[in-house]
Each structure stands twice: as C-alpha cells, then as structure tokens.
Amino acid sequence: MLVVGGGVVGAGTALDATTRGLSTALVEATDFAWGTSSRSSKLVHGGLRYLEMLDFPLVHEALRERGRLVEDIAPHLVRPVPFLYPLSKPWERPYVGAGVALYDGMAAGRTGHLPVHKHLGRAAVSRLAPGLKPEAYIGAIRYYDAQVDDARLVIELVRTAAVHGAHCASRLEVTAYLGSEAGGIVGAEVLDRETGERIAVHARRVINATGVWTGSIPVRHPDGREEPVVQGMPRVTAAKGIHLVVPRDRFTSTSGLILRTEKSVLFVIPWDRHWIIGTTDTPWREDVDQPAATSEDIDYVLERANAVLSEPLDRSDVVGVFAGLRPLVTPPGEDEPLGDTAAAAGTAKVSREHVVATPLPGLTVVTGGKLTTYRTMAADAVDAAVRAAGAQDTGPLTGQDVTGSGEGVPASCTADLPLLGAQGWTPAWNRRLLLAVDSGLPAAVVESLLHRYGSGAPEVIRLAVASPELAEELPGLPGHLAAEAVHAVTHEGARSVQDVLARRIRAVFEADDAGAAAAGTVAHLMAPLLGWDAERASAEAERYRQWTLAQRATLGAGTDAEAHALLVEAARDSVRDVARGGLPEIASSTSGRETA
C-alpha cells in the first residue's frame, strides 16, 4: 500500500496497514504534520457541541478514541484538562448539565482517568477563575476533556509506523496517479522536492489521506493523458479555523473555558505558559497551501473572549496566531456551504463525520473527520482497500478477512497499540527525579522532555549529557535543549529549521517571537547532520525568520485574499533568498527511476 499524505490520518493509516502485515509506504509533499495536523485546537475530545446537533454516533466514537489515547496509545502526549462552562441564566444549568451528564455517560468505561463533571456556584467559580467578570456568570459546570501536542502525535505515529516496517519519507510530492490499461490505479509518480528527481512508485493499493488537498491529484493514463478524478471522489470544503496565543498571566484561571458564541463555541485552552484561544469556522476560497488569519478573525476571537474576561485582551497581548483548514465533506446532492456574509457560518454546521470512497479500482480516499478519530478513519480506509482488493484481485491480497477470524489480511490492531514514547511511559515518569540527578539537568527540564518524548526522553538526555553544547537551552526557549534540534534530525525526519521549530519543538506558538531567536542556533546544529555549509545554514535560519514575519504581516489584512497574497509573496521571496544561499532548486526534470 502507498499512503499519500503525512498528516494525522495518513500517518495513522500507514501504522494501521503496516501492523496488519502489509508492505507499506507513506509519502508527504512537505513535512509530516505540515498542514492541518499541526494547526488544530490541540484538543482530543468528543465534541460537546455535537450533542446539541444530535450527532451521537460521532460523539460516542470520539469519546471512545479519547479514552484509548489517554490510557494506552499516547498517554505522554494526551492529558486531561478541565474546562469551565460559565452559566449566565438559570435555565442553562439543567440544560447544559443534562448535556454534560450525557457526555460523561457516553464515555463511561473508557474515561481515560478523566473526572466526571461537577456543578459549581458563584463562589467556587470565582476561586477557580478569578479572571472572569463576576457579572458574566451565575455559576458554571466543570468538565474534563483532553489536549494533545498535535504535531508531535503525528511524528510519533510516523516513527512507530517506521519501527513496524513502513517506509516513510517527506518532501515526496505525488504529482499523478499511475493508471493502468484496465482503468485502475497501480501506483503514483512522486517528485523528490529536494533533488527534482521523479520516481514511479508501484503499489497494489493507493490510499489518499490528504485532507483539504483531496481531489487535487490527476490520473496519468498509459498514453500520457492526464485527467482529474471526479466520479466518486468526495467533495471537500475547506473551513478555516484560527487561534490566538496569549501569555498565561493575562487571564487567571486554573481551568480552561468553553464559551458559547452565535456561530459555534470558543475555547480558551491552557498551554504551558500561554493560553490558546479559538476557533473560527469560516469558508476558505483561496489556495489551501497558505491559510492565514485576518484582522477580522482576530477581532472576532478577542471580542468573544473579552465578553467574559475581567481584564480585556487587546492586540498587544497576542504573541502568536495560527490558521488551519478543516476538510469538511459535502454530502452528495448538496451545495458547498460557501455563502458570502452571514452564511459563512454554515461550515460550523457541516458534519465532522469522515467518509471512505473508492473512486477508481486501486484507489481509496479517506477524508473529513477530526483529529480525535484519526485511528478509526485509518482503520476504515485500510478495511476498504483490502476488501476492494479481495473483490478485484487474484494476487496476495485476495480473500481478506478483516475480522481477523480467517486467513488473509488481519483486522486492525491499533486500538491498544502504544506509540513510541508511550511504551514504558509510567516507569519513565516515575524515574524523573533519578533522570535529573543522573544527567545533571534541572528536574523541570526533564519533566518537560518526558511530556514531549515520553519514554524516549532518555534518547535526548543522552545527547545532552554527551555534549555540553547540546545541554544548553535554545535561545529564547526555556526548557528546550539544543539536543532536541539534533534529535529532530537524527530521529524525527526534520529537514529544515521550520520543521524543528514549528513542528518538533512547537516554538512557533510557545515563544513570543515564534522561535526566531533560536533559528541561527538550530541551523548551526543541523548543518553537519544534513551536509550544509555555513552559507546554507545562514540562509536556512533567515528563511525561518522571514516566515515568522510573514505570518505576523497577515494580521492587518482585511480579507482572506489579502492575507493569502502576503504569505504567497513571502514564500516567493524566501525561496529566492534561500536559492541564492545555496539550496537546491526543485527541478522539472522528467527523467526518473522506478521502484516497487
């Protein structure tokens, strides 16, 4: 199987396929988790608001997966977090209380160590969240969900898939599906974006897990003709969600918040030394490669948050902004929810259910869904692919039994499969003080490393112990060691400064300057590992700094089109600058090689 797309669903699909004993490859055009999967709300949750939409199957499935992630799959990355639902009117208590009780009830049996909800009066709320306006509530309900470092979850999925035999590579862009004389798909052409080489990858089955890029890859027929895949291809609408990052001291609370808005809900989520506030839910009409926040988006989030905060936030409090695109599937026969004015809120009502389709023999497409349910999406995609193979092929994939009761391809086994970092997590956490003493690192740093790498933290600690340079903290990133940049390259497939600071270390929203101060140091550490000379390292560092500036430049844009244009121009400038610094340019060579 060839899996296309290195986000959370693609990475989960590669893991699912390879652990069933299938020869599996995963290709990603940029970096793993580069798109939507690093720009989410960082929540693993059932979706309290979906209960009100009567989408009980989705909530039940998501709560089941939440429990698995907290308990078994990634307990080092997925942790419980309390939320307050402020109540402003007396009737809200029975109404919201009934919903939250149902929410907890649907999670019963696999709560993942999450406490049940509790009703609170005014005095209790004022103790827990003194930063709330007293007039904004008459009480609250506290309930628990979970949060996750989304990009690190993807990295661990990819690494775990590789350990189990999958071949995983970034910077490989699928430019076309390879069609057969019989009309099916027998592989894909990929472009190596670092060398310009084109490679024909042959596969019995191709699974597309590209999210908002679904439908963008054409079929190349044996006679050289290319045409888009239309019939049977799910229609995906891109819905933009933005989040603001503000310092933790701007609002005093021991719990996060969930606030009702006229369109959806707004979360105020604790994240180390910051709060993440979001999200919006609006259609995105521009190119999906460069989603961006606008001035209107920021005003919307600030206005809704300030409705309940005793000390209002303003733009000067915003130290980071990130925007991502949700892949929402439009049901057959319905128009895409892309209204102009108030109808833009329509995307908030589109189902988050996922779909699996087989538009052509040999090609399976999985899209829609949400981060929390990535594992079931992956299992469903592989199930569909092997069933189709059993119906159409006479080769090794014939006669699949995805129930696991007969011969052929076994059923999915990822429901209780720990990721790397989760295996031995509890003993590693229990030994944290000994790790600190033995390594000479501060206990707080060791705990931080354990939360990022789980039982794999000793790998990073050994690098730091072996070299005084690597034991130093990265500039402007307290708690983050230089060793992490090296580990990102040697163990996690990082190929650029942005890969390290934006998706491995998450400085992009954990540091007030998005990690720009550390760019030079990170490039210096990466250089000998990737064969960069001093000029190349300098250009890579500058490329990251320019990228962070471009992200901030969009904050004054009035429309999506203006914000998108700023990012596109910044990307062009960055490529020109880096090319002058010695980076290989992406060639358009048609020569290539073939691989099975």
Side-chain angles (χ1 to χ4, degrees):
M1 283 191 178
L2 173 65
V3 182
V4 184
V8 70
V9 177
T13 300
L15 177 60
D16 189 276
T18 195
T19 53
R20 296 196 198 196
L22 298 173
S23 176
T24 305
L26 170 67
V27 294
E28 161 58 39
T30 50
D31 180 32
F32 302 117
W34 180 84
T36 305
S37 295
S38 60
R39 312 178 197 191
S40 75
S41 297
K42 323 297 180 209
L43 291 178
V44 170
H45 64 144
L48 191 59
R49 72 186 181 94
Y50 302 134
L51 284 181
E52 194 170 38
M53 297 165 63
L54 305 182
D55 201 343
F56 300 121
L58 175 62
V59 176
H60 182 266
E61 177 185 63
L63 288 172
R64 180 191 64 198
E65 293 304 309
R66 183 191 73 178
R68 286 172 169 160
L69 282 159
V70 171
E71 291 179 347
D72 302 313
I73 297 174
H76 62 303
L77 294 176
V78 184
R79 296 187 292 276
V81 59
F83 285 96
L84 290 179
Y85 191 121
L87 306 171
S88 59
K89 300 177 179 62
W91 63 265
E92 288 182 315
R93 188 175 291 278
Y95 179 74
V96 176
V100 177
L102 177 60
Y103 193 69
D104 281 348
M106 294 175 76
R110 288 200 71 94
T111 59
H113 308 295
L114 273 64
V116 297
H117 73 284
K118 185 176 181 180
H119 286 257
L120 304 174
R122 285 181 59 90
V125 174
S126 67
R127 288 194 300 271
L128 292 173
L132 286 176
K133 289 180 182 176
E135 63 270 24
Y137 61 89
I138 59 173
I141 296 175
R142 183 180 63 189
Y143 76 101
Y144 281 77
D145 256 318
Q147 65 179 178
V148 65
D149 186 329
D150 48 6
R152 289 219 57 85
L153 175 64
V154 175
I155 300 303
E156 298 290 22
L157 281 166
V158 174
R159 293 187 68 206
T160 307
V163 164
H164 287 282
H167 304 279
C168 308
S170 63
R171 269 65 174 187
L172 289 184
E173 177 185 2
V174 172
T175 55
Y177 300 121
L178 299 179
S180 68
E181 294 286 354
I185 301 301
V186 294
E189 178 189 80
V190 301
L191 170 67
D192 186 327
R193 300 183 71 179
E194 292 188 338
T195 67
E197 184 179 13
R198 293 180 185 271
I199 307 166
V201 181
H202 295 284
R204 297 289 302 283
R205 288 293 173 270
V206 177
I207 297 181
N208 181 300
T210 57
V212 292
W213 287 268
T214 298
S216 63
I217 301 172
V219 176
R220 180 175 301 147
H221 297 286
D223 61 7
R225 292 181 301 110
E226 289 191 2
E227 62 180 358
V229 182
V230 178
Q231 188 68 30
M233 180 66 71
R235 291 190 303 149
V236 174
T237 295
K240 184 181 70 171
I242 76 114
H243 295 81
L244 308 183
V245 183
V246 302
R248 191 70 175 266
D249 60 8
R250 287 297 291 111
F251 163 58
T252 305
S253 176
T254 59
S255 295
L257 301 177
I258 177 173
L259 308 174
R260 186 112 180 217
T261 72
E262 68 277 15
K263 297 178 181 178
S264 181
V265 294
L266 190 79
F267 286 99
V268 181
I269 306 163
W271 189 271
D272 196 23
R273 297 178 297 112
H274 294 89
W275 295 100
I276 296 175
I277 308 176
T279 181
T280 58
D281 204 328
T282 57
W284 177 259
R285 300 174 183 271
E286 311 303 323
D287 184 88
V288 295
D289 282 352
Q290 300 285 1
T294 65
S295 180
E296 181 180 356
D297 292 331
I298 294 168
D299 288 343
Y300 170 85
V301 173
L302 288 176
E303 181 180 344
R304 272 50 181 190
N306 286 338
V308 300
L309 300 183
S310 58
E311 296 185 17
L313 303 171
D314 59 37
R315 285 176 175 253
S316 66
D317 296 311
V318 178
V319 299
V321 179
F322 59 95
L325 299 177
R326 305 176 187 86
L328 306 182
V329 181
T330 304
E334 294 187 14
D335 293 330
E336 294 184 7
L338 292 176
D340 289 322
T341 64
T347 54
K349 303 300 181 183
V350 180
S351 174
R352 268 51 174 177
E353 295 280 0
H354 69 272
V355 300
V356 178
T358 305
L360 289 171
L363 174 63
T364 298
V365 178
V366 56
T367 191
K370 48 189 287 186
L371 181 147
T372 306
T373 58
Y374 81 86
R375 195 200 62 80
T376 55
M377 294 175 67
D380 287 350
V382 178
D383 283 351
V386 298
R387 285 190 182 118
Q392 298 160 8
D393 287 352
T394 58
L397 291 182
T398 302
Q400 289 74 11
D401 178 15
V402 295
T403 66
S405 60
E407 296 182 357
V409 178
S412 174
C413 63
T414 57
D416 302 303
L417 178 68
L419 302 184
L420 290 183
Q423 301 166 353
W425 153 246
T426 300
W429 177 254
N430 292 342
R431 286 178 52 83
R432 63 192 182 277
L433 294 180
L434 288 176
L435 283 171
V437 171
D438 292 344
S439 65
L441 296 172
V445 171
V446 170
E447 290 188 2
S448 181
L449 292 172
L450 285 165
H451 279 307
R452 282 195 293 281
Y453 304 96
S455 57
E459 293 176 348
V460 181
I461 292 173
R462 281 193 292 270
L463 289 171
V465 170
S467 170
E469 179 189 20
L470 300 185
E472 296 292 328
E473 291 185 337
L474 291 170
L477 295 172
H480 289 280
L481 302 182
E484 294 182 71
V486 173
H487 186 269
V489 176
T490 58
H491 290 69
E492 298 175 343
R495 305 288 298 172
S496 73
V497 174
Q498 186 187 126
D499 291 355
V500 175
L501 290 175
R503 286 171 292 279
R504 305 307 189 279
I505 291 181
R506 313 318 308 277
V508 69
F509 61 85
E510 289 184 0
D512 292 355
D513 67 347
T521 300
V522 169
H524 166 75
L525 294 167
M526 297 177 74
L529 303 172
L530 296 176
W532 299 346
D533 58 21
E535 187 178 11
R536 169 77 179 271
S538 178
E540 284 279 5
E542 183 58 25
R543 184 182 194 181
Y544 181 76
R545 296 187 195 102
Q546 292 301 318
W547 178 75
T548 62
L549 291 175
Q551 299 295 314
R552 291 178 179 272
T554 68
L555 307 188
T559 66
D560 284 346
E562 291 175 15
H564 177 257
L566 286 169
L567 289 185
V568 169
E569 185 57 32
R572 290 198 192 103
D573 291 343
S574 177
V575 169
R576 286 194 291 266
D577 292 343
V578 175
R580 285 194 291 270
L583 280 176
E585 296 186 30
I586 297 174
S588 58
S589 169
T590 56
S591 64
R593 58 186 173 89
E594 295 200 357
T595 183

